[in-house]
Amino acid sequence: MPFTPPVAEQRLVLDTIVGLPDLAASDRFAAADGDTVDAVLEGVGQFAAGEWAPLARIGDTVGAQWTADGVVMPDGYAAAYRAYVEGGWGTIGAPADWGGQGLPFALQTAVLETLGTANMGFALCPTLTIGAIEALQHHGSPEQQAAYLPHLSTGEWTGTMNLTEPQAGSDVGALRATATPRGDGTWSIKGTKIFISFGDHDMAPNIVHLVLARTPDAPVGTRGISLFLVPKYRLDADGRPGALNDVRVVSIEHKMGLHASPTCVLSFGDHDDCVGELIGPEHGGMRAMFTMMNNARLNVGLQGVQVAEGATQAAVAYALDRVQSARAGGADRSSVRIVEHPDVRRMLLRMKAQTQAARALVYYAAGQVDRAALGDAAAKARLEMVTPLAKAHATDLGNEVASLGIQVHGGMGYVEETGAAQFFRDARITPIYEGTNGIQAADLVGRKLGLDNGGAFAALIEDLRREAEAEDLVALVAACDAVGRRLATADADDRLAASYPFLTMLSVALCGVLLERESRALTGEGDFESMKRASIRFYLEQIVPEALGLRAAATAPATTLYALPAAAFAA
Amino acid sequence: MPFTPPVAEQRLVLDTIVGLPDLAASDRFAAADGDTVDAVLEGVGQFAAGEWAPLARIGDTVGAQWTADGVVMPDGYAAAYRAYVEGGWGTIGAPADWGGQGLPFALQTAVLETLGTANMGFALCPTLTIGAIEALQHHGSPEQQAAYLPHLSTGEWTGTMNLTEPQAGSDVGALRATATPRGDGTWSIKGTKIFISFGDHDMAPNIVHLVLARTPDAPVGTRGISLFLVPKYRLDADGRPGALNDVRVVSIEHKMGLHASPTCVLSFGDHDDCVGELIGPEHGGMRAMFTMMNNARLNVGLQGVQVAEGATQAAVAYALDRVQSARAGGADRSSVRIVEHPDVRRMLLRMKAQTQAARALVYYAAGQVDRAALGDAAAKARLEMVTPLAKAHATDLGNEVASLGIQVHGGMGYVEETGAAQFFRDARITPIYEGTNGIQAADLVGRKLGLDNGGAFAALIEDLRREAEAEDLVALVAACDAVGRRLATADADDRLAASYPFLTMLSVALCGVLLERESRALTGEGDFESMKRASIRFYLEQIVPEALGLRAAATAPATTLYALPAAAFAA
């Protein structure tokens, strides 16, 4: 699938939504000046289009393969990964103290968007490495940081997150993997983890597994979980990958999509010889995991942007090429490109609008990460509020857009050769992993509405109210305010019953405000500006009113849901 | 995937929505008494669950295969198809004059629903045969009927529809296949057709291709198209399949789903020896094709019901089994089955409600087919009005429900082994083929709103207004009325720009009214009744208000869509 990096759009969003110029005014992010940002966006765009996009198809058709010697990536992936490391693309947001460039998280977001639009499954590998870096950066000992961060910061080694077990999915506290002291300060890890993305591969000389496990006599539930670092190869005296650790890939899943990403079942300690190191304090695993999980959630939201952008580009290209039927109602009966038909335009403009909405939402959240890193407490609260929105709504939009992308292609969209179907299949995991979107909605109404006694929510609403201009958008913000305040004091069932539609309403309100802000920043009259104006207008005219239609669902009590016994669902 | 035929629901819908008892009061449908209906529903349910459902997975994983000798179906399909023919399931709605049972189309709809829920790809084969029967029944000569209908009515021979060519998809009039007189009353057919479902297979001794082609000097566009019957094997003097005709399967498509259904590229007349017969008058092809296409559209809408029912059953079974996390807000901290969590219930109840809505809609339309066959002109007008709704909205719902089904399964939904992904992949073709849903929306606003000078639309609205009870539903009907009347006189661009959201609004209004009617007919207090009451309440509380949120989109002018030049979509 040919791919054009959306550099003008990324730059606009970084400037107006992230406020990158403000960030660059700080000492910490001084390197993120306009020229650097342009160079990074152009550079990664060229790299991704040239090196990664051409591998998207083989990633799907051949995919990562499990063999007795571990996971083998499709032809070309190892070399393309090496090119990514050598190009320095892994270092963008990595800590400057450890070989990274220390650029803003929001700029790293743009880089990762481009890589993932070119090849979503492949880009999941760096995404996980970023999570491992963050966990070590915030919770690792100086020795652990020194041993691992230089290799992770460049992407030379890759990272994984090991939470899920067959009986412990959304309920992480139910996990059973164990860690027993070996007497030398290290731990012996034992257990089986499932759904481990890039749990094994042949692209890097080492893989750093971050593993949640229970120490002896640990309290039940999440309070008894600790985080361990388990390298695929133990480090030798010189800190280089040495002996193979006792971690084995038992199998990989046969998934509907994302075939370039091996989803592994990992078995730790089959021979009682899996050595791990404790990261942070014993029983502090959930806290450490949340550090990496929060930003990982934003990066999964970003996958929604990636797939939306890719699917949109493919559909636009098809619609600009495919000729079919004359324009209805016109005098000219010659066939036109389907982009000229109103309902095709509606689909395309919706795809453009929703892609831009998803991007604005995720970049907005990413910008709060950077502001929070500069000590801005309000930004930290905003980040907490909007993380579930960015994860859930952006991935929902990725799926909607990918589906529209198939529809624009007509019958050809259902045939695998066009690639439209791959976007659709790849996208479908994103509302599930890294906390299902239902879990995100529960987090929003269960924890985030109550933050600071409702102060964080009130502040977000105030932000929205201050900026919203369009009449329906003003009404939507007011509806979100009323619904949110009502849910904050509702009982648990009512709150959760309404959580998902409320999350969608609030997300659309925020996206609407951010898109209006982008619109105000447009000055030129070129194709880019006319496209932006039209798609933002579409968003305000159609998508914002749709969200108002969710108000009933967001205020419906749980009684309807419990008006039938569980068994009656099977009736 | 184990599968329980939804017999109680089907019977309720046949009684209250179709009004089967009324139909059975006519001479023509006297055989459709209550006992017969029960026997058919139970019988096909048992057959489909026992013989067809077990083949759904191999249909997906192995699929139909193209070989040099033609298409080979997966193991077990030929025998299961034979069992279908021998069980008489093909004869339900087939004409009594030609070996069929002549039962109502609506009852055949229920039979086809059950077969397709068990195995959607497989059930497409009988669906196409039904279309061929209808074309011959209404447009074939007595000789043609005598030669083919007895074999099609039992399902012994199968049928296909050959419209699409690479340059002629939605624009059927652009087709180029030719038919030249052979001088003996038959025609020599030449051309390539694509996307021909069950264009070849090894389950039946003959395949009857209905092919659109142009005769010499035919007018351009759809007015110059004629319909031809092209058997795979020409009939010998005794009317038995004899010499192989000059029709060749060039390849089959590699599709995202529906792998049990071979989607063929057929080449007619490579050796100038493809013999066809004209069906109906020369240049009358579109009219004949519409005969079969209209009911085929209902049958594709029915596929939305099939996949929704299957996905719902799978999700319910999973949610009743999977234990994860304690119920929020409760004192009891032990883990519960996920069906107990509010947001999972919301998803399941939505799936139930939308499945029932789709079924009500499609069966309602099917009932109009039967009433029209009894000479009810109002029913014929109703059928024309609601055919695009039944095709488009029911398939949209099938896709929505299949996606929710994956979500309920969490990570396991993305793994192919659970089957949730297959429903999702299979479903995605249904909004595309048999006229894309965009084409359906165009048909609604372009042709159907204007039928009888708006009388057909006014009559439908009057039907809805008479029955609607819930406040939001009354409002939705009023909104549909206002929007529809406005669109009827709008210019082509504005009408088409608004067509899709209008189609959805009107569909929801109709479904809401039909579900309310079902609700009024419920008398018992068992699991089935409590499930129905809860899902209908959910529909009225949540889905009807969402449709009200589409009003803005359904009244938005086309100007936004054309506020950018086509090329700017790529910006």
Side-chain angles (χ1 to χ4, degrees), chain A residues 414-505:
Chain A
Y414 200 58
V415 171
E416 288 287 358
E417 281 73 8
T418 54
Q422 186 183 344
F423 289 120
F424 183 70
R425 289 184 290 100
D426 285 355
R428 192 60 191 82
I429 187 58
T430 59
I432 295 172
Y433 62 14
E434 212 49 53
T436 66
N437 287 3
I439 295 284
Q440 305 301 324
D443 178 48
L444 173 63
V445 300
R447 220 169 63 80
K448 302 303 172 64
L449 279 185
L451 276 181
D452 189 20
N453 277 321
F457 176 66
L460 178 66
I461 292 291
E462 191 43 44
D463 287 349
L464 301 181
R465 210 192 298 274
R466 199 178 313 114
E467 277 197 72
E469 290 183 357
E471 191 179 333
D472 287 331
L473 186 58
V474 170
L476 182 60
V477 171
C480 288
D481 185 23
V483 173
R485 279 188 287 121
R486 177 188 160 128
L487 290 180
T489 59
D491 82 17
D493 282 345
D494 287 342
R495 223 186 302 142
L496 290 167
S499 61
Y500 210 104
F502 173 62
L503 179 145
T504 304
M505 287 176 71

Side-chain angles (χ1 to χ4, degrees), chain A residues 295-306 358 362 389-395 430:
Chain A
N295 291 356
R297 285 176 173 183
L298 299 189
N299 283 336
V300 171
L302 184 63
Q303 292 186 309
V305 183
Q306 293 164 6
V362 174
L389 312 187
K391 195 278 175 181
H393 192 60
T395 57
T430 59

Side-chain angles (χ1 to χ4, degrees), chain A residues 277-341:
Chain A
E277 298 179 36
L278 182 65
I279 304 283
E282 199 177 340
H283 306 159
M286 281 311 286
R287 201 173 143 254
M289 213 64 192
F290 264 113
T291 303
M292 64 194 282
M293 212 144 57
N294 278 329
N295 291 356
R297 285 176 173 183
L298 299 189
N299 283 336
V300 171
L302 184 63
Q303 292 186 309
V305 183
Q306 293 164 6
V307 80
E309 177 67 31
T312 302
Q313 290 197 15
V316 166
Y318 187 80
L320 285 169
D321 180 63
R322 170 78 171 167
V323 172
Q324 194 76 175
S325 300
R327 182 101 172 259
D332 185 351
R333 300 323 295 150
S334 50
S335 296
V336 298
R337 296 178 301 171
I338 62 172
V339 67
E340 298 298 350
H341 295 304

